[in-house]
Amino acid sequence: MLLRDVTPDDADAYIRMRCDPVMMADLGGPLPRERQPDIVRRDVREAAAGTSWIKMILPDAASPGVVAGTVNLWSHDTDEGPLSEIGWMILPPFQGRGLAKRAARALLERARDEDRWGVVHAFPAVGNGASNGICRSLGFRLVAQQDVTFAGRVLRSNHWAIDPRTDLRPE
């Protein structure tokens, strides 16, 4: 597996992930296709500036054109102050191979090694067993169930938190 920064050429991968009803079932349904190129451009700017870690997951370094999904770590403001959040998506043909867990671990290890981001939060849908299992296996602690807003949609999620400096479980 290889992680690389998002590039403008990843618009098709964004469309395959974010505009597909199956992929987006736990996130309120597909997003508008026409918005994805603008989102990719924004993500490329943020990744280049280092304000967010937006990585494309390549299942095999020998096939750099094959994208399996994304893993992202970013910070945003909440009513309680800034919050660091991690999220991942894996396309159906690549699910069940451990790629999301390995990719999330890689970003959390980097966050730990660079002493950046502080406590990291994840908000998978309550019914997303795979993502909740990843959180549990990496050492996140379940904080609560709560409603979160994603793309203008309110979703019921599990709120997980981890301090990568102290809580990340060994492989």
Side-chain angles (χ1 to χ4, degrees):
M1 181 196 74
L2 177 71
L3 299 180
R4 66 157 170 79
D5 282 343
V6 63
T7 72
D9 294 334
D10 290 316
D12 181 60
Y14 271 49
I15 289 167
R16 286 184 291 136
M17 286 182 279
R18 298 174 177 199
C19 302
D20 180 271
V22 174
M23 284 290 301
M24 296 297 292
D26 286 326
L27 295 171
L31 297 176
R33 181 184 183 96
E34 62 275 4
R35 290 195 53 232
Q36 298 315 300
D38 289 337
I39 293 170
V40 170
R41 282 190 287 277
R42 178 205 65 202
D43 287 357
V44 167
R45 284 190 306 273
E46 289 183 15
T51 56
S52 297
W53 292 344
I54 302 170
K55 304 294 184 182
M56 305 307 289
I57 303 168
L58 310 181
D60 183 355
S63 299
V66 178
V67 173
T70 63
V71 61
N72 306 323
L73 183 52
W74 71 100
S75 181
H76 55 91
D77 291 325
T78 69
D79 293 339
E80 291 81 35
L83 180 131
S84 297
E85 184 172 345
I86 191 168
W88 49 83
M89 295 183 85
I90 301 291
L91 287 161
F94 301 99
Q95 292 174 2
R97 298 184 190 181
L99 292 169
K101 181 179 174 180
R102 288 180 16 223
R105 173 181 294 286
L107 284 194
L108 292 168
E109 288 174 344
R110 181 177 170 196
R112 177 197 63 209
D113 295 347
E114 294 183 16
D115 197 21
R116 183 170 177 198
W117 303 104
V119 173
V120 177
H121 302 262
F123 297 92
V126 169
N128 187 330
S131 286
N132 284 291
I134 289 169
C135 290
R136 193 175 302 106
S137 69
L138 290 174
F140 282 80
R141 64 180 161 67
L142 182 61
V143 176
Q145 283 190 4
Q146 69 183 69
D147 291 334
V148 298
T149 302
F150 171 77
R153 306 156 179 191
V154 177
L155 309 168
R156 191 68 177 161
S157 297
N158 281 330
H159 176 186
W160 296 88
I162 189 170
D163 184 335
R165 297 165 295 189
T166 57
D167 301 334
L168 187 59
R169 289 193 181 135
E171 288 185 67

